[in-house]
Structures are given as structure tokens and as C-alpha cells.
Amino acid sequence: GAGVSQSPSNKVTEKGKDVELRCDPISGHTALYWYRQSLGQGLEFLIYFQGNSAPDKSGLPSDRFSAERTGGSVSTLTIQRTQQEDSAVYLCASSRSRAYEQFFGPGTRLTVL
Amino acid sequence: GDSVTQMEGPVTLSEEAFLTINCTYTATGYPSLFWYVQYPGEGLQLLLKATKADDKGSNKGFEATYRKETTSFHLEKGSVQVSDSAVYFCALSSHNTDKLIFGTGTRLQVFP
């Protein structure tokens, strides 16, 4: 079946602009994760959704970052007033439920000029 | 907090050489341990995992054993191929949270 998909694959934006990154998880997967991969910080957890439970936002680096998951499926990660240090590859992963294998999407490469 | 430390790269080997990539962790409780691989131009893929002490994860000729006494999960392969060239990430997830905590990654380059 189809894997995790993310869009756009690349996004170039100017400092101060808002961006939205989209993740389509594998159908039927109830858990969804966002991670960030950057040169300086490696791979770091951002936020986790599991079913209808309150999301675990403990990894969001600032209040400029937010995410939502509509209808238990598609998720959008929003970065407001982007800064150059936000430049990274943003990865989405989904799993059948908590504690199951996480399947990763190809990522969105964000470049903030 | 929980953390993962893995050896710096790049690791450069000739084809058919023996591979070891070291990984140690710090965690409260009993985490699950993983190796993920990122091939050039591709997304992260789970390579192998172990969920309790002394478990051995294996896949595609790679192996890693969960060593609680040394808090380690070293990745090994007896004979690497050019196609194994990739970045390898060690990771853990704690029993009470499902987020993955990753090491910094180790780039492996295998030459014919």
C-alpha cells in the first residue's frame, strides 16, 4: 500500500513568512509524529498525535511552531514568522498505534532565506 | 533525560569488510532500541529493533544485541556491500513515551 507522503518536497521561503507542511499518514495508522532533521541538531522529535488524545507537544522548539491533525488523518505543521534556524528537513512518521514501528515519509526540505 | 550516543563518521570500508558502529544509550526504565537507515535520496527506514535486554535484532545481514549491562546496541555486519552505503541512526523509545530519540547518525561509505 501507499506509504507516508509529505508535501511539498521542497519549500523555500523568506524570513518572517509563515509556512505549512502537510503529512498524509498510512491509512489506518492512529499515531502520527513530526521530527526535524537539521545539521546542527540532528534528528529531533517535535510533536506526537495518538488517536483522540491530547498531542504530546514537548518537542516543539518555540510557540511559532504548531501542528494539527484533522479527522485523525492528515496533519499540518505550521511555522509562523520563519527564521533561518528553522531551515531543516521536516519528517513525518506514522504507526499502527503507539509502540508499533514508525514509518517515515520522504520529508519536506525547508529553506529560510 | 534520555539520550543516544553513536560513533562519529564517516566510516569508510572496502567491500566484504567487517562493520561495527557503536551505540550507547542513557535512559530511565527499559527502552526499546532501534537502528534506522537512510539511503541516499531516500527516507528513513527501520533496519532492526530489540525491545528487551539480550534480544538480538537482525535484518539484511545486520545484527545488534541489546546489552543492558553496558547500555549498548552496537550494529554489526560481517561482510558489507557497496549497497550498504548510507547513514545509520541508533534510536530509543522509552516505555512510557513513543517518541524516538536519535543519535547523530553515522555515515558508512563502502568502496569496491
Side-chain angles (χ1 to χ4, degrees):
Chain A
V4 177
S5 61
Q6 295 185 244
S7 60
S9 55
N10 280 285
K11 175 71 176 179
V12 180
T13 191
E14 294 178 349
K15 178 181 171 182
K17 301 280 191 184
D18 297 351
V19 295
E20 285 189 351
L21 312 180
R22 176 187 168 106
C23 172
D24 285 87
I26 294 172
S27 177
H29 280 193
T30 62
L32 187 148
Y33 311 77
W34 284 97
Y35 296 87
R36 179 169 71 172
Q37 186 174 21
S38 58
L39 279 177
Q41 302 297 324
L43 261 164
E44 52 182 345
F45 165 79
L46 296 177
I47 187 169
Y48 159 52
F49 297 89
Q50 170 58 53
N52 295 321
S53 302
D56 176 353
K57 304 180 182 180
S58 60
L60 294 179
S62 78
D63 58 8
R64 296 186 296 104
F65 287 72
S66 63
E68 62 176 18
R69 188 176 185 193
T70 53
S73 181
V74 171
S75 177
T76 301
L77 177 69
T78 301
I79 309 173
Q80 296 178 310
R81 305 181 302 281
T82 52
Q83 305 294 312
Q84 288 183 330
E85 62 261 29
D86 300 334
S87 296
V89 177
Y90 289 81
L91 296 171
C92 176
S94 71
S95 67
R96 193 150 45 116
S97 183
R98 60 170 305 178
Y100 284 83
E101 176 183 349
Q102 295 182 29
F103 293 85
F104 282 80
T108 294
R109 181 175 297 277
L110 175 67
T111 303
V112 182
L113 301 177
Chain B
D2 296 352
S3 66
V4 174
T5 302
Q6 64 182 106
M7 62 189 290
E8 296 277 338
V11 173
T12 303
L13 295 173
S14 298
E15 205 164 26
E16 299 183 2
F18 183 85
L19 168 71
T20 300
I21 301 178
N22 290 337
C23 172
T24 57
Y25 67 90
T26 301
T28 53
Y30 304 98
S32 294
L33 302 174
F34 306 85
W35 278 100
Y36 278 82
V37 59
Q38 191 170 34
Y39 297 104
E42 298 185 18
L44 271 173
Q45 303 173 26
L46 178 65
L47 180 60
L48 54 84
K49 68 178 182 181
T51 57
K52 61 183 188 295
D54 300 325
D55 268 4
K56 178 186 284 188
S58 62
N59 186 23
K60 299 182 180 180
F62 291 88
E63 293 183 340
T65 301
Y66 189 141
R67 300 286 188 200
K68 184 170 178 292
E69 63 277 11
T70 54
T71 62
S72 65
F73 193 55
H74 305 321
L75 182 68
E76 296 182 337
K77 186 174 186 182
S79 176
V80 294
Q81 305 300 311
V82 173
S83 57
D84 294 326
S85 298
V87 181
Y88 293 81
F89 294 90
C90 185
L92 67 81
S93 69
S94 298
H95 71 284
N96 60 348
T97 176
D98 299 302
K99 64 184 182 186
L100 290 168
I101 296 171
F102 288 90
T104 52
T106 302
R107 181 175 300 278
L108 170 65
Q109 298 174 318
V110 181
F111 293 95

